[in-house]
Amino acid sequence: MFEEDEDFWWDLAMEERGHASLLQHEKNSPQQEPFFTENLLATDLDVLKAANKRILDLVAACKSTPPSRLEALRTAYELETSAGESHFQRFMESPASSFAANIFQQLNQGDRDHAERIQQYIDELE
């Protein structure tokens, strides 16, 4: 939507694709233990459904009424920081109990870095 931000978003998107690729590779590799540890997965499906609905609603709202450049960045920051909420955040802050947990914790650190980079980008524009 904002060509002047294309390089910034491209870099973050490529990092996210790298995260997804790593997870997919590890998920498909033979493991001695289940890849998705029990305390990682959400137990409240309604919370996940609500989060997914919120994102779909945001996409629809942006199509009908495009946000300003700063609104788009602030929304991205909010989404990036909300990904570490509830049980997921507790899991990420606990000691790594498996190879999979270690991977997820490293990826979570990357997400925090993304949030910080988005905030720095916002600060530069204001």
Side-chain angles (χ1 to χ4, degrees):
M1 190 177 289
F2 304 101
E3 289 181 25
E4 59 272 36
D5 300 325
E6 184 176 356
D7 290 340
F8 176 76
W9 292 117
W10 177 260
D11 289 344
L12 292 181
M14 290 299 99
E15 290 172 17
E16 293 293 352
R17 286 180 190 223
H19 294 172
S21 177
L22 175 63
L23 291 172
Q24 190 65 40
H25 176 268
E26 291 304 319
K27 177 183 169 222
N28 293 331
S29 296
Q31 304 286 326
Q32 292 181 352
E33 59 188 58
F35 181 73
F36 295 106
T37 60
E38 186 177 309
N39 62 340
L40 168 65
L41 302 176
T43 56
D44 190 344
L45 189 56
D46 290 334
V47 171
L48 292 177
K49 287 179 181 179
N52 288 339
K53 182 181 181 327
R54 179 170 180 263
I55 291 170
L56 292 173
D57 290 347
L58 277 169
V59 170
C62 289
K63 286 180 181 178
S64 66
T65 307
S68 71
R69 187 175 176 203
L70 281 175
E71 285 174 314
L73 286 162
R74 287 183 181 123
T75 300
Y77 177 82
E78 179 186 333
L79 291 172
E80 194 69 46
T81 56
S82 69
E85 292 299 324
S86 93
H87 77 283
F88 185 71
Q89 187 61 38
R90 286 190 299 277
F91 170 81
M92 290 301 163
E93 292 172 354
S94 66
S97 58
S98 68
F99 181 71
N102 188 33
I103 289 173
F104 278 101
Q105 288 173 342
Q106 288 177 26
L107 294 178
N108 187 56
Q109 180 58 47
D111 287 343
R112 279 195 290 253
D113 292 345
H114 286 183
E116 289 172 14
R117 286 166 46 199
I118 293 168
Q119 184 59 58
Q120 288 171 353
Y121 199 75
I122 292 169
D123 293 346
E124 291 171 10
L125 294 175
E126 290 183 315

